[in-house]
Amino acid sequence: MKVVETIEGIRKEIEIAKSTGQSIGFVPTMGYLHEGHLSLINAAKKDHQFVVVSIFVNPLQFGPNEDLDRYPRDFERDEKMAREAGADVVFYPSANEMYPTNMPMMIHVTSGVHVLCGTSRPGHFDGVATVVMKLLQIVQPHAAYFGQKDAQQLAIIMNMVDAFNIPVTIKGCPTIREEDGLAKSSRNVYLSKQERSEAPFLYEALCYGADLIRSGMTSRSKIVDELKQRLSQGSGSIDYIDVLAYPSLERVEQLNGKVILALAYAYDKARLIDNYIVEVQGEK
Ligand code: AMP
C-alpha cells in the first residue's frame, strides 16, 4: 500500500490503475480509523479492484468553537489499519495541499440543512460538501463509500452528486457498533470512563423510539417527548433529537413511510451522533 500526499501523486496512481482496467472505490475519512471505517474499505474492496482511502481532517467543516484542534489523529496507526484492511493507496494531503489559498468559492448546501446537524453546526455541511466535491474531482472514483451513521451527510452528498451530475455512485453502508450498541466513532476516545459506560443509552433510546413507532405511535412530537425524557437522565446534554421523514429529512407531525430518528448528544469533550431508520407500520 502506498501513501501519497500530493494531488498530482494520487492522480498518477489512479491513472495507472485505470489504464490497467481497474475500477476505483473511494473511502473518504478524517482518520483515527475504527471498524466503521474498515467496513467501508471492505465494502469498496468487494466491488472494486483498486481502493483509495483518504485521511484528511477538513478544517472547513469545523465551526470556530468546535474540536478541530482536538480531533484525534494517529497517522501511523491509520496507515497500518488501512494496509491490513487491504487499501491500495492512502491519500494523506496537508491542509495546504487541499487549500493552498483561501478557497475562492465553496459549495453552499440549500436543501436538507435546516434540521439536525445543519442547525446545530451552521456551515458544517458547506464545508463537508466542498471537501467531498474536491476529493471526488481529485480521485474520480467509480464509487464512493459513506456511513449511514452520518445519515444527513450521506443524504446531502447524494443530492450534491445528483445536482452537479458527478459521474460517481454513492454507496451508503450500515453503522458499525460496539458490542453494547454504542456507534463506533473516532470521538469515543474522548469519553470519560463514566460517560463511556453511560453512552450506550443513546442507541437504546433510538431503539425504544423505533419500537414505539413499530407499535403504532405516529405522532412525531410524542415520540420526541418520550426520547427527550429518556435522554434527560444522562449526564451530558441533548443537542437535538428529532424524527423526520427519510430520506427527504422533512419534519412532519404525522409520521408515515420511512422515518429517521436522529440525535446528537454532548458529553464533556465529545459530541456524539446516532440515528435509526424505521418504517412506520400503520396508525393507531
Ligand atoms: P469520519 O472519519 O468520521 O469523517 O468518517 C468517515 C466515514 O466513515 C463517513 O462516511 C462516516 O459516515 C463513516 N463512519 C463513521 N463511523 C461509522 C460507523 N460507526 N459505522 C459505519 N460508518 C462509519
Side-chain angles (χ1 to χ4, degrees):
M1 186 192 77
K2 280 192 182 168
V3 176
V4 176
E5 296 187 5
T6 64
I7 293 167
E8 199 191 337
I10 191 70
R11 284 227 161 109
K12 216 167 264 166
E13 293 299 324
I14 285 154
E15 196 185 308
I16 294 167
K18 281 189 176 168
S19 73
T20 57
Q22 301 186 72
S23 78
I24 315 290
F26 177 42
V27 180
T29 82
M30 297 206 300
Y32 215 72
L33 302 183
H34 52 67
E35 283 85 349
H37 300 113
L38 300 187
S39 75
L40 304 184
I41 299 176
N42 286 337
K45 274 189 71 71
K46 254 191 211 143
D47 301 340
H48 304 277
Q49 290 96 30
F50 195 84
V51 172
V52 181
V53 176
S54 66
I55 295 179
F56 179 60
V57 182
N58 173 38
L60 286 190
Q61 70 190 66
F62 288 79
N65 297 315
E66 293 183 0
D67 58 351
L68 172 62
D69 295 333
R70 280 191 298 112
Y71 197 83
R73 294 163 169 90
D74 186 343
F75 183 69
E76 246 173 61
R77 180 172 158 276
D78 286 348
E79 187 187 350
K80 185 164 174 277
M81 286 175 79
R83 179 181 297 114
E84 284 170 6
D88 294 282
V89 58
V90 166
F91 178 46
Y92 181 52
S94 65
N96 192 49
E97 179 69 8
M98 288 294 277
Y99 306 121
T101 54
N102 277 337
M103 281 295 276
M105 62 188 75
M106 280 184 68
I107 304 273
H108 177 49
V109 184
T110 51
S111 180
V113 282
H114 306 299
V115 290
L116 310 179
C117 292
T119 45
S120 64
R121 302 184 71 186
H124 168 68
F125 287 115
D126 289 356
V128 169
T130 301
V131 79
V132 173
M133 172 66 102
K134 265 187 85 96
L135 289 168
L136 291 176
Q137 301 304 328
I138 291 166
V139 176
Q140 303 195 3
H142 294 93
Y145 293 75
F146 293 87
Q148 189 66 54
K149 171 169 176 279
D150 299 277
Q152 190 173 17
Q153 168 175 284
L154 175 59
I156 286 170
I157 287 165
M158 283 178 160
N159 282 343
M160 180 178 80
V161 161
D162 243 23
F164 290 101
N165 312 96
I166 308 173
V168 65
T169 304
I170 300 297
K171 301 264 191 163
C173 302
T175 301
I176 305 297
R177 300 179 178 282
E178 302 287 355
E179 262 173 33
D180 58 15
L182 177 66
K184 298 229 178 205
S185 164
S186 306
R187 291 184 168 100
N188 289 351
V189 290
Y190 287 131
L191 297 174
S192 71
K193 213 165 163 205
Q194 192 262 328
E195 290 171 342
R196 174 61 189 84
S197 69
E198 175 186 289
F201 92 124
L202 299 173
Y203 183 55
E204 281 160 24
L206 292 172
C207 292
Y208 172 70
D211 278 346
L212 290 178
I213 291 171
R214 284 194 198 98
S215 63
M217 192 183 275
T218 56
S219 157
R220 176 192 158 274
S221 50
K222 268 192 195 160
I223 296 163
V224 169
D225 285 348
E226 288 270 353
L227 294 184
K228 269 192 184 150
Q229 202 184 327
R230 287 209 151 207
L231 294 180
S232 68
Q233 289 158 23
S235 62
S237 59
I238 302 170
D239 183 348
Y240 63 72
I241 168 90
D242 213 340
V243 189
L244 303 168
Y246 186 83
S248 70
L249 302 182
E250 275 162 20
R251 197 173 277 143
V252 286
E253 176 49 31
Q254 198 61 32
L255 304 175
N256 64 68
K258 235 183 222 180
V259 299
I260 183 167
L261 300 106
L263 61 80
Y265 192 82
Y267 279 116
D268 190 26
K269 293 198 175 69
R271 175 182 172 278
L272 306 183
I273 60 170
D274 202 354
N275 67 77
Y276 195 116
I277 293 165
V278 60
E279 184 101 29
V280 177
Q281 311 281 317
E283 291 181 18
K284 247 187 200 169

